Amino acid sequence: MAGLRGNKTLAGTWGEVWVDGEKVFVLQKIEQKVEVNREDVQIGMDVDSKMTGMKGTGTLSIKKVYTRARAVLERMCAGEDVRCQIIAKLKDPDAVNGQMERWSTDNVWWNTIPAISWETGTPIQEEWEFGFTPSDFKNLDEIK
C-alpha cells in the first residue's frame, strides 16, 4: 500500500440514499449488514462450522422533516407486507481515481417504523430498521 494517503479515506459526508426512487435529502446514516447463520460441526476434537443461511439487516437514520410513517403504517395496517428498494451511493471527491461505490438492495421490509420520539431542545432523528434478503443486495459500482 505504498503511496496511499489519508485523503483517500472515504467520508460518509458524500453518501446519498434513495428509497423506491425518491432521494432521502435528510440522510443522517445508513448501515446494512449480512449476518451468517452457522451450526457447529464437530470433527474429532475440533469444532468447525457450517453456513446454513444468511440474513440481511439495516438501519436508515434520517433527520425528521416530513411525516413519513403514516403512509407505510396505513398500508401495513391494511394487511400489506410493504416492500421497497434502497439504493445507496458514496461518491467522495477524494476517492481513488474519482470512483464511487454504489449498492442496490431489493426486497426490503420495515421492522421498525418510527412514529413519535420527541425531546425538547433536540433535533429529531428517526431510525427505520429493516431487513432484506442477501441475494437481493447487489454491488453496482466498486472502488478499486
Side-chain angles (χ1 to χ4, degrees):
M1 294 267 164
L4 184 63
R5 302 288 184 225
N7 68 325
K8 297 301 178 191
T9 302
L10 302 173
T13 304
W14 306 102
E16 297 178 304
V17 169
W18 291 261
V19 176
D20 280 343
E22 182 180 335
K23 187 172 180 179
V24 178
F25 285 99
V26 289
L27 175 69
Q28 181 66 35
K29 175 182 175 182
I30 186 167
E31 180 179 17
Q32 286 184 243
K33 60 185 173 182
V34 175
E35 300 172 26
V36 179
N37 297 332
R38 295 189 167 274
E39 292 291 328
D40 286 347
V41 177
Q42 187 161 346
I43 302 172
M45 291 301 293
D46 292 333
V47 176
D48 202 337
S49 73
K50 170 73 175 169
M51 182 176 73
T52 60
M54 296 187 301
K55 177 183 178 181
T57 61
T59 304
L60 179 64
S61 300
I62 59 174
K63 298 170 190 147
K64 185 166 180 82
V65 176
Y66 306 107
T67 302
R68 296 177 185 273
R70 184 182 147 267
V72 174
L73 278 172
E74 283 179 356
R75 290 172 60 195
M76 292 177 95
C77 287
E80 185 180 344
D81 188 356
V82 178
R83 302 295 169 115
C84 66
Q85 177 194 53
I86 294 177
I87 300 282
K89 178 178 95 172
L90 182 60
K91 187 163 177 56
D92 189 316
D94 282 332
V96 175
N97 297 323
Q99 300 174 86
M100 72 173 153
E101 181 174 286
R102 204 165 48 106
W103 294 85
S104 172
T105 311
D106 290 315
N107 197 33
V108 174
W109 59 86
W110 302 111
N111 291 326
T112 304
I113 300 156
I116 299 173
S117 180
W118 307 330
E119 184 177 340
T120 301
T122 303
I124 299 170
Q125 182 172 302
E126 296 180 335
E127 295 214 347
W128 292 68
E129 295 176 6
F130 58 91
F132 61 92
T133 44
S135 61
D136 291 302
F137 186 38
K138 307 286 186 211
N139 180 240
L140 304 175
D141 294 293
E142 65 178 304
I143 298 173
K144 299 178 185 178

